[in-house]
Amino acid sequence: MPDTTIGFIGGSVAYRLMSENKITGRRLGPRPTPYGDSQPIFHCTGPQCNYYFLSRHGERGYETTAPYVNYRANVYALRDLDVRTLIAWSGPGAINPNFQIGQFVIPDDLIDETKNRPHTFYENKGIGFVRQHPTFCPALRRTISETLGALGLQYDDDATYVCTQGPRLETRAEIRKFAQYGGDLVGMTLVPEVFLAKELEMCYAAICYVTNHAEGVGPQRDFRPGALFEGLASPEEMKRVNAAVERFPEIIARLATAIARQTTPPECACHHTMERYRQRGDIGEDWREWVAR
Ligand SMILES: [Zn+2]
């Protein structure tokens, strides 16, 4: 049997789904790591679910904004629970004008525009020159794609996600620059999560739902004080976004079941990203020793 311990990292509105008991599980609490405490972890077990879950921004509200999430503690804590398959969700804006508000996107590549975030487990340890293609686990992306398709949800599965530092939104000129880079989505959370997961030999992929069109994309929108994103998204669009978010409990339950049913190891190299160092004798079998501080 392949190693299928699964973890989910919930994005902006995960806390709401938890407070409404749409995502449930035994609360294990924050988990101590060499990088500080993780966000509280929940363990969902039952016929329809067997996975660990944490809400990236907090369990009661949007307490921790993207630049201040302790990404290393969250990824370490899940790996410490034997998670090798990690799926995150995120609500970016669309740079690509063809993307619809509320639709799903499974990104396949990424541009890192963050600044000063702790971004590696291997702080000057002589290891960690890890190849970044494929950026996201191709096997996991395929499973997500099949699952969204089976649920009849609209999605795209090739998109480049630009990760900015935040918490502020982007300027119009920045969005023009990202468009020239080939960016399709702009968000604040998949970096360094995806890179940290690779360092600990985990499969990682993301499910994005489009929350708005990025600054300067689509029709001109006036600055509206007091409105969400100061008017970048209309109330009608936010209804579509909320409808997308409401699908996550079903999506993650279906995904957990689909992954648990897989009887062969995934056709990807994610569990071997550190093989070069292992063969060279730089690191041993216990991953905790690789990252020991
Ligand atoms: Zn993989």
Side-chain angles (χ1 to χ4, degrees), residues 16 32 86 167 204 261 266 276:
R16 196 181 79 210
L86 184 54
Y204 179 101
R261 280 193 187 137
R276 181 159 62 99

Side-chain angles (χ1 to χ4, degrees), residues 8-266:
F8 289 97
I9 294 181
S12 308
V13 284
Y15 62 87
R16 196 181 79 210
L17 298 174
M18 291 158 78
S19 69
E20 293 170 352
N21 286 323
K22 290 173 179 166
I23 295 177
T24 57
R26 190 162 62 91
R27 187 181 187 278
L28 307 181
R31 203 171 168 86
T33 80
Y35 307 92
D37 284 355
S38 71
Q39 287 285 6
I41 294 177
F42 292 77
H43 192 198
C44 182
T45 51
Q48 288 300 312
C49 70
N50 185 12
Y51 54 80
Y52 293 99
F53 181 87
L54 71 77
S55 168
R56 195 190 277 123
H57 299 287
E59 61 180 327
R60 278 180 295 281
Y62 199 80
E63 300 146 349
T64 310
T65 57
Y68 305 103
V69 171
N70 192 338
Y71 296 96
R72 290 193 296 190
N74 291 346
V75 173
Y76 186 105
L78 289 167
R79 181 71 167 86
D80 209 24
L81 290 164
D82 291 329
V83 169
R84 299 298 295 273
T85 303
L86 184 54
I87 299 169
W89 89 62
S90 166
I95 299 170
N96 185 331
N98 296 323
F99 288 168
Q100 308 296 311
I101 310 289
Q103 77 156 88
F104 294 94
V105 185
I106 310 163
D108 68 342
D109 213 336
L110 186 148
I111 295 170
D112 179 7
E113 289 283 312
T114 64
K115 303 179 181 86
N116 305 321
R117 293 187 186 185
H119 58 281
T120 179
F121 289 114
Y122 306 132
E123 291 176 337
N124 201 16
K125 285 175 170 287
I127 57 174
F129 299 90
V130 177
R131 185 176 171 186
Q132 294 299 326
H133 179 77
T135 308
F136 298 93
C137 170
L140 198 48
R141 289 182 62 251
R142 198 174 315 120
T143 304
I144 294 170
S145 187
E146 287 163 2
T147 301
L148 295 184
L151 287 168
L153 298 170
Q154 187 195 351
Y155 71 94
D156 273 88
D157 63 359
D158 58 340
T160 296
Y161 178 107
V162 181
C163 193
T164 61
Q165 174 66 2
R168 69 167 176 85
L169 297 180
E170 307 76 34
T171 68
R172 198 172 273 204
E174 285 169 337
I175 295 298
R176 281 202 304 273
K177 180 179 84 166
F178 300 153
Q180 285 180 4
Y181 284 178
D184 297 294
L185 298 167
V186 60
M188 298 178 191
T189 47
L190 300 189
V191 175
E193 226 168 59
V194 58
F195 303 134
L196 295 171
K198 261 201 182 65
E199 288 186 346
L200 298 188
E201 299 193 321
M202 303 160 87
C203 292
Y204 179 101
I207 309 170
C208 295
Y209 61 100
V210 176
T211 55
N212 59 280
H213 282 124
E215 198 68 65
V217 176
Q220 162 72 31
R221 292 166 192 268
D222 292 335
F223 191 102
R224 286 194 284 119
L228 183 67
F229 305 146
E230 286 71 48
L232 200 54
S234 70
E236 172 54 33
E237 288 168 342
M238 289 320 294
K239 273 189 203 158
R240 278 148 59 188
V241 172
N242 286 332
V245 168
E246 290 294 322
R247 304 302 299 264
F248 272 107
E250 191 182 7
I251 292 170
I252 65 177
R254 289 269 202 129
L255 271 172
T257 305
I259 293 165
R261 280 193 187 137
Q262 290 168 349
T263 52
T264 52

